[in-house]
Short mmCIF file of all heavy atoms in Angstrom, two decimals:
data_model
loop_
_atom_site.label_atom_id
_atom_site.label_comp_id
_atom_site.label_asym_id
_atom_site.label_seq_id
_atom_site.Cartn_x
_atom_site.Cartn_y
_atom_site.Cartn_z
N ARG M 60 -2.80 11.96 10.56
CA ARG M 60 -3.81 11.30 9.69
C ARG M 60 -4.26 12.22 8.64
O ARG M 60 -4.67 13.39 8.95
CB ARG M 60 -4.98 10.81 10.62
CG ARG M 60 -6.07 9.89 9.74
CD ARG M 60 -5.59 8.44 9.68
NE ARG M 60 -6.58 7.68 8.88
CZ ARG M 60 -6.28 6.53 8.34
NH1 ARG M 60 -5.00 5.92 8.55
NH2 ARG M 60 -7.18 5.84 7.64
N LYS M 71 -10.18 5.60 3.77
CA LYS M 71 -9.66 4.30 4.04
C LYS M 71 -8.19 4.25 3.82
O LYS M 71 -7.70 4.84 2.83
CB LYS M 71 -10.36 3.24 3.00
CG LYS M 71 -9.85 1.76 3.30
CD LYS M 71 -10.72 1.22 4.46
CE LYS M 71 -10.15 -0.10 4.95
NZ LYS M 71 -8.98 0.09 5.97
N GLY M 72 -7.45 3.71 4.68
CA GLY M 72 -6.03 3.63 4.42
C GLY M 72 -5.21 3.17 5.76
O GLY M 72 -5.74 3.14 6.82
N GLY M 73 -3.99 2.80 5.54
CA GLY M 73 -3.19 2.22 6.51
C GLY M 73 -2.56 3.14 7.48
O GLY M 73 -2.75 4.39 7.36
N THR M 74 -1.93 2.65 8.53
CA THR M 74 -1.27 3.38 9.53
C THR M 74 0.19 2.98 9.52
O THR M 74 0.48 1.75 9.74
CB THR M 74 -1.85 3.11 10.92
OG1 THR M 74 -3.31 3.21 10.77
CG2 THR M 74 -1.35 4.07 11.91
N ARG M 75 1.12 3.94 9.36
CA ARG M 75 2.54 3.59 9.25
C ARG M 75 3.29 4.07 10.49
O ARG M 75 3.12 5.28 10.90
CB ARG M 75 3.09 4.41 7.96
CG ARG M 75 4.53 4.22 7.76
CD ARG M 75 4.85 4.72 6.29
NE ARG M 75 4.35 3.89 5.27
CZ ARG M 75 4.81 3.94 4.06
NH1 ARG M 75 5.76 4.80 3.68
NH2 ARG M 75 4.26 3.09 3.06
N LEU M 88 0.66 9.48 0.42
CA LEU M 88 0.07 8.04 0.49
C LEU M 88 -1.48 8.08 0.55
O LEU M 88 -2.09 7.12 -0.01
CB LEU M 88 0.71 7.35 1.80
CG LEU M 88 2.19 7.03 1.62
CD1 LEU M 88 2.81 6.83 3.04
CD2 LEU M 88 2.43 5.80 0.78
N MET M 92 -3.95 6.36 -2.11
CA MET M 92 -5.08 5.54 -1.69
C MET M 92 -6.36 5.85 -2.45
O MET M 92 -7.17 4.93 -2.78
CB MET M 92 -5.31 5.52 -0.17
CG MET M 92 -4.37 4.82 0.78
SD MET M 92 -4.13 3.08 0.51
CE MET M 92 -5.83 2.38 0.70
N LYS M 95 -6.19 4.48 -5.83
CA LYS M 95 -6.23 2.93 -5.75
C LYS M 95 -7.59 2.49 -5.51
O LYS M 95 -8.12 1.57 -6.13
CB LYS M 95 -5.30 2.53 -4.65
CG LYS M 95 -5.00 1.09 -4.57
CD LYS M 95 -4.31 0.67 -3.22
CE LYS M 95 -3.02 1.47 -2.90
NZ LYS M 95 -2.36 0.91 -1.83
N CYS M 96 -8.34 3.06 -4.58
CA CYS M 96 -9.71 2.66 -4.13
C CYS M 96 -10.66 2.90 -5.27
O CYS M 96 -11.45 2.03 -5.69
CB CYS M 96 -10.18 3.35 -2.94
SG CYS M 96 -9.39 2.87 -1.39
N TYR M 103 -14.78 4.27 -1.27
CA TYR M 103 -13.90 4.91 -0.23
C TYR M 103 -13.12 6.12 -0.83
O TYR M 103 -12.80 6.05 -2.06
CB TYR M 103 -12.81 3.94 0.32
CG TYR M 103 -13.25 2.81 1.15
CD1 TYR M 103 -12.66 1.58 0.83
CD2 TYR M 103 -14.08 2.85 2.12
CE1 TYR M 103 -12.98 0.40 1.55
CE2 TYR M 103 -14.45 1.77 2.88
CZ TYR M 103 -13.84 0.51 2.57
OH TYR M 103 -14.14 -0.53 3.35
N ALA M 106 -7.02 7.64 2.57
CA ALA M 106 -6.44 8.23 3.82
C ALA M 106 -5.23 7.53 4.08
O ALA M 106 -4.89 6.44 3.52
CB ALA M 106 -7.51 8.08 4.98
N LYS M 107 -4.44 8.05 4.97
CA LYS M 107 -3.24 7.42 5.47
C LYS M 107 -2.86 8.10 6.82
O LYS M 107 -3.19 9.27 6.98
CB LYS M 107 -2.09 7.58 4.56
CG LYS M 107 -0.92 6.61 4.73
CD LYS M 107 -1.52 5.09 4.38
CE LYS M 107 -0.44 4.32 3.72
NZ LYS M 107 -1.03 3.46 2.72
N VAL M 143 -11.62 4.54 8.15
CA VAL M 143 -11.31 3.21 8.66
C VAL M 143 -9.76 2.93 8.43
O VAL M 143 -9.25 2.98 7.29
CB VAL M 143 -12.16 2.22 7.93
CG1 VAL M 143 -11.87 0.81 8.38
CG2 VAL M 143 -13.68 2.48 8.05
N MET M 144 -9.07 2.67 9.49
CA MET M 144 -7.67 2.49 9.40
C MET M 144 -7.29 0.97 9.11
O MET M 144 -8.13 0.14 9.21
CB MET M 144 -7.05 2.80 10.79
CG MET M 144 -7.10 4.26 11.18
SD MET M 144 -6.24 4.50 12.75
CE MET M 144 -6.59 6.23 13.05
N ALA M 145 -6.06 0.71 8.76
CA ALA M 145 -5.62 -0.60 8.49
C ALA M 145 -4.09 -0.63 8.79
O ALA M 145 -3.47 0.42 9.02
CB ALA M 145 -5.83 -0.90 7.06
N PRO M 146 -3.36 -1.82 8.60
CA PRO M 146 -1.98 -1.75 8.77
C PRO M 146 -1.22 -1.21 7.58
O PRO M 146 -1.75 -1.05 6.57
CB PRO M 146 -1.62 -3.25 8.90
CG PRO M 146 -2.89 -4.02 8.99
CD PRO M 146 -3.97 -3.12 8.36
N ASP M 147 -0.04 -0.83 7.87
CA ASP M 147 0.97 -0.36 6.80
C ASP M 147 2.36 -0.71 7.36
O ASP M 147 2.44 -1.45 8.44
CB ASP M 147 0.71 1.16 6.44
CG ASP M 147 1.37 1.45 5.14
OD1 ASP M 147 0.75 1.31 4.05
OD2 ASP M 147 2.57 2.07 5.14
N MET M 148 3.35 -0.12 6.85
CA MET M 148 4.72 -0.35 7.32
C MET M 148 4.78 -0.11 8.78
O MET M 148 4.40 0.93 9.27
CB MET M 148 5.69 0.60 6.58
CG MET M 148 6.41 -0.06 5.39
SD MET M 148 7.33 1.32 4.54
CE MET M 148 8.23 1.94 5.92
N THR M 175 -9.46 -2.44 9.77
CA THR M 175 -9.28 -3.76 8.99
C THR M 175 -7.88 -4.26 9.16
O THR M 175 -6.96 -3.47 9.66
CB THR M 175 -9.65 -3.55 7.47
OG1 THR M 175 -8.79 -2.56 6.97
CG2 THR M 175 -11.06 -3.06 7.30
N GLY M 176 -7.72 -5.50 8.84
CA GLY M 176 -6.40 -6.04 9.08
C GLY M 176 -6.20 -6.54 10.53
O GLY M 176 -5.15 -6.59 11.02
N ARG M 187 -6.76 -11.67 4.70
CA ARG M 187 -6.40 -10.29 4.66
C ARG M 187 -4.82 -10.23 4.76
O ARG M 187 -4.25 -9.48 4.05
CB ARG M 187 -7.02 -9.47 5.81
CG ARG M 187 -6.46 -8.03 5.84
CD ARG M 187 -6.66 -7.19 4.54
NE ARG M 187 -6.06 -5.93 4.67
CZ ARG M 187 -4.86 -5.61 4.23
NH1 ARG M 187 -4.10 -6.54 3.85
NH2 ARG M 187 -4.40 -4.35 4.30
N THR M 191 -2.25 -8.77 -0.09
CA THR M 191 -1.44 -7.81 -0.88
C THR M 191 -0.45 -8.68 -1.66
O THR M 191 -0.29 -8.55 -2.88
CB THR M 191 -0.69 -6.75 -0.08
OG1 THR M 191 -1.64 -6.27 0.83
CG2 THR M 191 -0.25 -5.67 -0.91
N VAL M 223 4.15 -7.63 2.79
CA VAL M 223 3.86 -7.63 1.36
C VAL M 223 4.96 -8.49 0.71
O VAL M 223 4.65 -9.51 0.02
CB VAL M 223 3.87 -6.22 0.80
CG1 VAL M 223 3.59 -6.24 -0.72
CG2 VAL M 223 2.78 -5.35 1.43
N GLY M 316 4.78 -3.72 -5.39
CA GLY M 316 4.13 -4.03 -4.11
C GLY M 316 4.13 -2.93 -3.15
O GLY M 316 3.20 -2.73 -2.36
N ASN M 318 4.10 1.22 -2.17
CA ASN M 318 3.47 2.51 -2.59
C ASN M 318 4.46 3.44 -3.17
O ASN M 318 5.36 3.77 -2.33
CB ASN M 318 2.61 3.18 -1.52
CG ASN M 318 1.33 2.35 -1.16
OD1 ASN M 318 0.57 1.80 -1.99
ND2 ASN M 318 1.19 2.04 0.17
N ASN M 345 -0.66 -3.55 -5.65
CA ASN M 345 -0.79 -3.79 -4.25
C ASN M 345 -2.22 -3.55 -3.74
O ASN M 345 -2.51 -3.60 -2.57
CB ASN M 345 0.22 -2.99 -3.38
CG ASN M 345 -0.10 -1.53 -3.43
OD1 ASN M 345 -1.21 -1.05 -3.42
ND2 ASN M 345 1.00 -0.72 -3.37
N ALA M 346 -3.19 -3.46 -4.72
CA ALA M 346 -4.54 -3.21 -4.32
C ALA M 346 -5.25 -4.37 -3.61
O ALA M 346 -6.21 -4.21 -2.96
CB ALA M 346 -5.36 -2.82 -5.48
N GLY M 347 -4.67 -5.50 -3.69
CA GLY M 347 -5.23 -6.72 -3.02
C GLY M 347 -5.49 -6.48 -1.54
O GLY M 347 -6.40 -6.86 -0.90
N GLY M 348 -4.52 -5.65 -0.89
CA GLY M 348 -4.67 -5.35 0.54
C GLY M 348 -5.99 -4.60 0.85
O GLY M 348 -6.73 -5.04 1.67
N VAL M 349 -6.16 -3.48 0.10
CA VAL M 349 -7.35 -2.62 0.46
C VAL M 349 -8.65 -3.36 -0.02
O VAL M 349 -9.67 -3.19 0.50
CB VAL M 349 -7.18 -1.21 0.07
CG1 VAL M 349 -7.29 -1.03 -1.42
CG2 VAL M 349 -8.19 -0.32 0.71
N ILE M 350 -8.54 -4.09 -1.04
CA ILE M 350 -9.73 -4.82 -1.60
C ILE M 350 -10.15 -5.82 -0.51
O ILE M 350 -11.44 -5.81 -0.11
CB ILE M 350 -9.42 -5.53 -2.95
CG1 ILE M 350 -9.28 -4.55 -4.08
CG2 ILE M 350 -10.55 -6.44 -3.26
CD1 ILE M 350 -8.69 -5.11 -5.34
N VAL M 351 -9.28 -6.61 0.06
CA VAL M 351 -9.69 -7.47 1.15
C VAL M 351 -9.98 -6.71 2.39
O VAL M 351 -10.93 -7.15 3.13
CB VAL M 351 -8.70 -8.65 1.30
CG1 VAL M 351 -9.08 -9.57 2.45
CG2 VAL M 351 -8.59 -9.47 0.00
N SER M 352 -9.47 -5.51 2.64
CA SER M 352 -9.84 -4.70 3.71
C SER M 352 -11.34 -4.35 3.52
O SER M 352 -12.12 -4.32 4.50
CB SER M 352 -8.99 -3.44 3.80
OG SER M 352 -7.86 -3.62 4.47
N TYR M 353 -11.73 -4.06 2.38
CA TYR M 353 -13.10 -3.66 2.09
C TYR M 353 -13.98 -4.88 2.44
O TYR M 353 -15.04 -4.76 3.02
CB TYR M 353 -13.26 -3.25 0.62
CG TYR M 353 -14.65 -3.16 0.06
CD1 TYR M 353 -15.52 -2.27 0.74
CD2 TYR M 353 -15.09 -4.09 -0.93
CE1 TYR M 353 -16.87 -2.26 0.12
CE2 TYR M 353 -16.44 -4.01 -1.37
CZ TYR M 353 -17.22 -3.12 -0.82
OH TYR M 353 -18.56 -3.10 -1.28
N1 LIG A 501 -1.68 0.03 3.81
C1 LIG A 501 -2.25 -0.66 2.73
C2 LIG A 501 -2.16 0.11 1.45
O1 LIG A 501 -1.29 0.92 1.35
C3 LIG A 501 -3.68 -1.13 3.02
C4 LIG A 501 -4.65 -0.13 3.18
C5 LIG A 501 -6.04 -0.70 3.71
O2 LIG A 501 -6.13 -1.85 3.73
O3 LIG A 501 -6.92 0.09 4.06
O4 LIG A 501 -2.83 -0.20 0.46
#
Side-chain angles (χ1 to χ4, degrees):
R60 185 82 183 162
K71 184 84 193 79
T74 312
R75 178 170 288 198
L88 290 159
M92 281 307 299
K95 190 190 310 190
C96 291
Y103 293 135
K107 198 70 140 213
V143 181
M144 295 183 185
D147 196 81
M148 263 171 52
T175 59
R187 171 62 185 87
T191 316
V223 180
N318 291 310
N345 67 36
V349 72
I350 291 169
V351 177
S352 274
Y353 167 65

